[in-house]
Amino acid sequence: MSGANPFVGYGTIASGDRFVGRETESAALHRRLYEARSSAALIGLTRMGKSSLANKIITEPPDERTATGWINIATARSGAEVLADILAMCPSEQALHATFTTAGGAEGAQEVPIHGLYRMIRDALLRLRRTDGHLVVVLDEFDSIRHFPDAREFLNLLRELVYFPDRIPMAALAVARRPIDRIEVEAADISSFAGVCDSLYLGPMEYEEIRTMAARCQELASGAADAAWKYATGHPFLSEVAFCRMAEHGTTDIARVILPDLSSYYQKLAGFMRGEQLWEPLLALASGRAIDVDVADGALVRRYGLVDDNGEVWSSEFAAYLRSR
């Protein structure tokens, strides 16, 4: 192709013109986080566009009184470190700012304990409430809290910060692959934060959304959207990969060149499902043996969008992969 390939950035957070679709999910999260000022969880398989959607949400606050922030849980070492990051997003008085910025910095200084950080955040948010302000924080890679040494304390304190939205003006959007209650039980044998979250499962995109994605490149052949649908069936990451390969090779006949991309993704997906004890339920549902599947496991496989209520597998390519196992 003569111009720059607009799909070459696949695998990174989609923003600006690269972000397409997801209007229904975006509206639901806006209502929950900004209108109800309550917390939510965005759940979905890897590379399903969760972080891209979360990024879009926090770049669209309804007014200047609403502050937003982003924390990647996978880069934090503890719950206390996450609370310290949240505190840095809050309005601060001079005394509070001095206390926080010097904690652990000077020789002999003591780190602020996790409960102390909680109280400092609460006090800062109460000040924010006086101006009708609101803080919305994205907690990306929320699955990683299972590695925190203080996971139990963190989860309980996080719940307290978002439990009374009329009193403490903060909402969190947890972005994860696993359901929040599963993460909490694994991390700390509790289920506290999950009880205040409205969980939204993000599945594959609709065909019209994929057509909109294809329209970003006028040089693609007229059948590009149909070809991407054949190989990716609405999966945003795989769709971008398919369009990228079409743009690179100047054809929609990409069966051989996209096979390594599909195989790599399927293997990672299979590894995740095995780790969650969902691989066998997935195989059973895909082969029409729903009667052999635990109700909760079957429901979760369907929420992920891998098999629909009629037993149809997400894509013909993935169905063929499952048959070969």
Side-chain angles (χ1 to χ4, degrees):
M1 63 182 294
S2 58
N5 187 339
F7 304 105
V8 74
Y10 63 82
T12 60
I13 288 181
S15 60
D17 293 340
R18 191 170 146 228
F19 186 95
V20 299
R22 302 299 197 189
E23 284 85 0
T24 299
E25 297 89 346
S26 179
L29 288 174
H30 268 270
R31 288 193 297 270
R32 177 72 179 181
L33 296 166
Y34 293 133
E35 296 177 24
R37 294 193 168 190
S38 298
S39 295
L42 185 57
I43 314 297
L45 296 171
T46 184
R47 308 275 179 132
M48 195 57 75
K50 303 183 299 297
S51 296
S52 295
L53 177 56
N55 179 67
K56 180 178 188 297
I57 295 300
I58 65 167
T59 58
E60 298 175 340
D63 52 58
E64 61 183 12
R65 298 188 304 275
T66 302
T68 62
W70 182 285
I71 299 172
N72 186 340
I73 300 294
T75 64
R77 295 167 296 180
S78 66
E81 193 169 297
V82 174
L83 291 186
D85 287 340
I86 294 175
L87 179 61
M89 301 171 188
C90 297
S92 61
E93 295 178 340
Q94 186 63 34
L96 172 63
H97 180 72
T99 300
F100 172 65
T101 55
T102 59
E107 185 177 353
Q110 297 296 315
E111 291 187 3
V112 179
I114 190 168
H115 288 84
L117 289 165
Y118 160 73
R119 288 189 291 271
M120 294 162 74
I121 294 170
R122 181 196 60 197
D123 292 345
L125 290 172
L126 290 174
R127 288 196 300 274
L128 184 64
R129 177 173 174 265
R130 296 177 196 142
T131 60
D132 196 30
H134 182 223
L135 174 64
V136 174
V137 181
V138 169
L139 302 175
D140 198 22
E141 302 288 349
F142 195 78
D143 306 75
S144 296
I145 65 165
R146 66 188 189 278
H147 302 305
F148 286 177
D150 55 357
R152 175 180 287 270
E153 292 86 351
F154 169 69
L155 288 165
N156 284 329
L157 295 174
L158 179 61
R159 176 188 181 276
E160 290 304 303
L161 287 172
V162 301
Y163 188 53
F164 298 99
D166 291 336
R167 185 186 307 173
I168 302 178
M170 174 179 156
L173 174 58
V175 180
R177 290 180 297 168
R178 300 168 178 84
I180 301 302
D181 54 353
R182 282 197 174 198
I183 296 171
E184 288 193 296
V185 169
E186 180 183 351
D189 196 25
I190 60 174
S191 183
S192 54
F193 178 61
V196 299
C197 285
D198 180 29
S199 292
L200 187 155
Y201 283 79
L202 195 64
M205 300 172 77
E206 300 293 334
Y207 177 73
E208 288 304 317
E209 295 174 311
I210 301 305
R211 281 176 55 87
T212 302
M213 187 183 292
R216 294 181 55 235
C217 181
Q218 299 300 319
E219 297 183 33
L220 288 177
S222 59
D226 292 332
W229 190 260
K230 167 181 167 55
Y231 296 114
T233 319
H235 191 292
F237 165 72
L238 293 177
S239 296
E240 277 203 310
V241 171
F243 288 133
C244 184
R245 300 292 178 255
M246 291 181 217
E248 289 172 345
H249 295 272
T251 178
T252 58
D253 184 10
I254 56 169
R256 284 182 292 180
V257 296
I258 199 173
L259 182 59
D261 300 302
L262 296 177
S263 298
S264 176
Y265 181 79
Y266 294 162
Q267 288 168 11
K268 292 176 183 177
L269 177 55
F272 171 76
M273 297 298 281
R274 287 191 178 98
E276 295 300 297
Q277 286 76 54
L278 293 173
W279 180 246
E280 293 302 326
L282 169 60
L283 292 179
L285 290 173
S287 61
R289 295 182 289 111
I291 193 171
D292 298 331
V293 178
D294 175 81
V295 173
D297 289 344
L300 184 52
V301 171
R302 293 186 182 95
R303 289 192 189 104
Y304 279 137
L306 293 176
V307 179
D308 67 18
D309 292 336
N310 297 317
E312 293 293 324
V313 178
W314 147 55
S315 77
S316 59
E317 298 290 323
F318 187 55
Y321 175 83
L322 293 179
R323 288 194 296 271
S324 70
R325 300 301 98 185

